[in-house]
Amino acid sequence: MADSSVLTSTIERTSLADSSIFDSKVTEISKENVLIGSASYVEEEMPQIETRMILVQEAGKQEELIQALKEIKVPFVKMESVEELESLDSPEFENVFIVMDFQDSVFNELYKTDHRIIGPPVILNCAQKGEPLPFSCRPLYCTSMMNLVLCFTGFRKKEELVRLVTLVHHMGGVIRKDFNSKVTHLVANCTQGEKFRIAVSLGTPIMKPEWIYKAWERRNEQDFCASVDDFRNEFKVPPFQDCILSFLGFSDEEKTNMEEMTEMQGGNCLPVGDERCTHLIVEENIVKELPFEPSKKLYVVKQEWFWGSIQMDARAGETMYLYEKANTPELKKSVSLLSLNTPNSNRKRRRLKETLAQLSRETDMSPFPPQTPKSCTKSSKNSTPVPSKQSARWQVAKELYQTESNYVNILATIIQLFQVPLEEEGQRGGPILAPEEIKTIFGSIPDIFDVHTKIKDDLEDLIVNWDESKSIGDIFLKYSKDLVKTYPPFVNFFEMSKETIIKCEKQKPRFHAFLKINQAKPECGRQSLVELLIRPVQRLPSVALLLNDLKKHTAEENPDKTTLEKAIGSLKEVMTHINEDKRKTEAQKQIFDVVYEVDGCPANLLSSHRSLVQRVETISLGEHPCDRGEQVTLFLFNDCLEIARKRHKVIGTFRSPHGHTRPPASLKHIHLMPLSQIKKVLDIRETEDCHNAFALLVRPPTERANVLLSFQMTSEELPKENWLKMLCRHVANTICKADAENLIYSADPESFEVNTKDMDSTLSRASRAIKKTSKKVTRAFSFSKTPKRALRRALMTSQSSVEGRSPSSNDKHVMSRLSSTSSLAGIPSPSLVSLPSFFERRSHTLSRSTTHLI
């Protein structure tokens, strides 16, 4: 039955697409022979056969399934029992049975008789995507593992293995007995064996058996795929599964950190010497001899094995990381080479360094060799240039060249050890960092490297062919424009780069392991990535100092004297441009921080000419700009004042498009006031009932009279006197006045009814709570949000429209609704009875005081 179905599907045009993959080569060869040997016979003798779907029992009651079959235009019939099989058998049709449950008796009967069986998700998925039905000789319930090739290892129980293989086939997957390059996933029940090692070396995902069971539980979900990263990563075999680790030679802090990482990666930890341990991790730079004789079953490895396993997200092979004692033959050979008598101690140290470097290159078998970019592999024309004359000017020039060469090497180390491996495609375990994170960390480092490589090459040519008349200043003038282009983007965002490294190292164990491995290499000189990345920030000032020193040792008649002065000036311009650009960038960042912190902040606050001057925390003392006792934050910009109050309820966190989570906005926007609206700044005198208070006399363009805004400063860090002078200075700059001090006016608190007494008392807090509650009650009973003027206009219009005619029933109903609303609005709230008289008294007092001021 299976062979004939294959034959039929290959030759005849049906709605089934042949996508089957056969496990046995014999089957493929036999199928090919059948097709070749009987091709002519089939074309002449075989009748046309149409595919027909048979809905078995419950499947025939699914309206969605029936509609899907109509969409893909496949004929179908319903079957209630197995007894109907004989009546449905016809030479004109190839029957495909749709079964809801692959475990009931009907399925078993159909499977035994070698019928083709599929599940409802296959039909629904094909109808949704407009694709032909996939062909499969085996029962196919869904396609969540379609195009996946699985291999199994470490399973002792045959029943469990058969169950897993069956589920994979039901989901469209393919099984391979032997591991090869076509296997997409290895399902492992242990972390040992040849298949496991090959999968690690090839970077093939290694999965737990639960991955298959959980995928089967989601078999009815449309568009579900078992190989998507979010789902698959939940069931990957962790690097230290079945491993029990102990650590030797590490500090308490390092040991605690590594033990936490071990548990996060699926392993366990025990003290050194415990017989149950499978691995002993040794700090090879400290431990010279083991405190005990390890058993044959115990792997004694260097710490690079530990961090390497975390980085590739799989248990690395131990053989290339085995710890070697201090008396190994390789080390003895290196020590004998170091015993040569040398007259110069510096030469002896240099030879020691070279020998140890050679030894590390011979014995280092790390599976993560750094990939050197092509631009980093350029060889020097002459690594040790020898001058004809060692003048003072030449000595400084030589130092300039040597520091430039060292700087270029540092940049090359950053690129080849860190940036290139992180950007490499096909990393074991997937990408360590996201592309935007890599861009944030390294920025314009490659561009800086290219510019300084050219500068180094020019300096090298000059030093090799030295002449006192040759110009060094011309070299830096030549590349000054390139320096302006490359340095500001990196220097301005260095702090962000540093913060990204720290954050990713805490949140991403694989990146932490990556840094541990590469920072321990001799090329880094025991420096962290952050310490290496700070070098571009320090380089230009260092070059300027060396050029100044070079100018001092250059004769007046030397043409390079003037050129050096120009070069120093150009470097200062570059640094000034960097500082100015950095200042603008930081100012813009501060404004963005304000926008994110203040809910409802106007978009026009963002402006290229605007900068944040000061932030002041206050408490409102009057009825403006908000209720008395409210916590108010004032953001002083160079041309405006943003007034915001503390939010009573905090909304959820904000997530940017890049996935970064921001804290919720803690402030609510009240008013963005141009500084030109501030007419006077009132310094309220200190009394027993009034402390640290000030007020602003403001004339909004929409108001006919002045408005008084009074506040009490709550922060002691900024003195009130300094704050008021700062505010007046920027107000004067905005209105183009030179006499900023004339804007400050000293006033008594009684004349403006300003009082800070009992601001934090229980009674004051209760009063504020009552006011808030009364506002909520008023809003709750306001059935119409229509403004008062609009309500009156609507009432007058309705009255004029009914003049000269008798009101209809609808008119009467509207009038009654309006009268009831107006009568409800006229009912005074007990907490608001005294407010009108208060505002009248307040307005009268304010008018008298402001008249006196103006």
Side-chain angles (χ1 to χ4, degrees), residues 583-597:
R583 185 189 65 78
K584 290 180 180 179
T585 303
E586 291 176 349
Q588 292 296 312
K589 183 177 180 296
Q590 289 177 339
I591 297 178
F592 273 105
D593 291 339
V594 173
V595 172
Y596 285 124
E597 187 179 2

Side-chain angles (χ1 to χ4, degrees), residues 494-506:
F494 171 73
E495 289 300 324
M496 186 181 297
S497 171
K498 180 180 176 181
E499 292 172 1
T500 304
I501 293 173
I502 295 173
K503 182 194 71 174
C504 291
E505 190 174 5
K506 289 181 179 179

Side-chain angles (χ1 to χ4, degrees), residues 536-601:
V537 181
Q538 303 168 339
R539 181 56 188 165
L540 292 185
S542 176
V543 172
L545 292 175
L546 286 172
L547 292 181
N548 267 314
D549 195 13
L550 189 65
K551 188 182 74 170
K552 292 178 184 178
H553 295 89
T554 302
E556 293 293 336
E557 62 275 8
N558 194 324
D560 196 30
K561 185 87 170 181
T562 306
T563 310
L564 284 172
E565 290 179 355
K566 293 180 181 179
I568 294 170
S570 68
L571 282 180
K572 288 183 179 178
E573 289 179 4
V574 173
M575 289 185 285
T576 302
H577 181 81
I578 290 172
N579 294 333
E580 182 66 20
D581 201 17
K582 184 178 181 181
R583 185 189 65 78
K584 290 180 180 179
T585 303
E586 291 176 349
Q588 292 296 312
K589 183 177 180 296
Q590 289 177 339
I591 297 178
F592 273 105
D593 291 339
V594 173
V595 172
Y596 285 124
E597 187 179 2
V598 180
D599 181 33
C601 187

Side-chain angles (χ1 to χ4, degrees), residues 614-807:
Q614 186 65 47
R615 171 180 178 152
V616 178
E617 301 294 338
T618 67
I619 296 177
S620 177
L621 299 179
E623 300 300 328
H624 301 284
C626 56
D627 292 338
R628 175 179 171 85
E630 290 271 9
Q631 297 182 22
V632 178
T633 302
L634 304 178
F635 295 97
L636 175 62
F637 295 89
N638 58 325
D639 63 341
C640 62
L641 184 69
E642 166 65 21
I643 305 175
R645 65 168 175 82
K646 185 177 180 181
R647 293 197 60 160
H648 305 305
K649 290 184 179 180
V650 179
I651 59 176
T653 57
F654 167 77
R655 183 171 291 274
S656 69
H658 297 296
H660 303 296
T661 302
R662 289 188 174 273
S666 59
L667 301 174
K668 179 70 176 178
H669 167 74
I670 297 178
H671 185 55
L672 180 61
M673 178 194 307
L675 294 183
S676 58
Q677 294 182 9
I678 300 178
K679 303 305 178 183
K680 289 291 182 180
V681 177
L682 306 182
D683 183 4
I684 307 299
R685 294 189 181 93
E686 298 290 320
T687 63
E688 293 183 0
D689 296 337
C690 189
H691 175 65
N692 222 18
F694 70 96
L696 304 177
L697 190 61
V698 180
R699 174 70 67 85
T702 57
E703 300 291 337
R704 296 181 181 179
N706 294 324
V707 178
L708 187 70
L709 311 179
S710 54
F711 307 94
Q712 179 189 18
M713 297 180 64
T714 58
S715 175
E716 300 293 338
E717 297 178 359
L718 178 65
K720 182 177 72 170
E721 181 181 0
N722 296 352
W723 156 246
L724 296 181
K725 287 182 179 180
M726 183 188 307
L727 176 60
C728 290
R729 185 172 69 251
H730 285 88
V731 172
N733 292 338
T734 304
I735 62 178
C736 299
K737 279 191 175 182
D739 50 346
E741 295 181 356
N742 293 336
L743 293 173
I744 302 180
Y745 181 84
S746 182
D748 293 325
E750 294 82 6
S751 48
F752 294 94
E753 297 183 358
V754 176
N755 187 358
T756 63
K757 187 177 181 181
D758 299 331
M759 286 302 299
D760 294 329
S761 65
T762 305
L763 182 61
S764 177
R765 290 194 294 269
S767 175
R768 293 197 295 270
I770 291 173
K771 287 183 179 181
K772 292 176 187 176
T773 305
S774 65
K775 287 183 178 181
K776 293 180 181 179
V777 171
T778 304
R779 287 196 298 266
F781 279 98
S782 179
F783 296 108
S784 175
K785 302 299 181 182
T786 309
K788 191 174 182 180
R789 292 180 182 178
L791 187 63
R792 287 178 179 175
R793 192 182 303 114
L795 184 59
M796 293 175 64
T797 303
S798 64
Q799 289 177 349
S800 62
S801 63
V802 298
E803 285 184 359
R805 65 180 178 89
S806 60

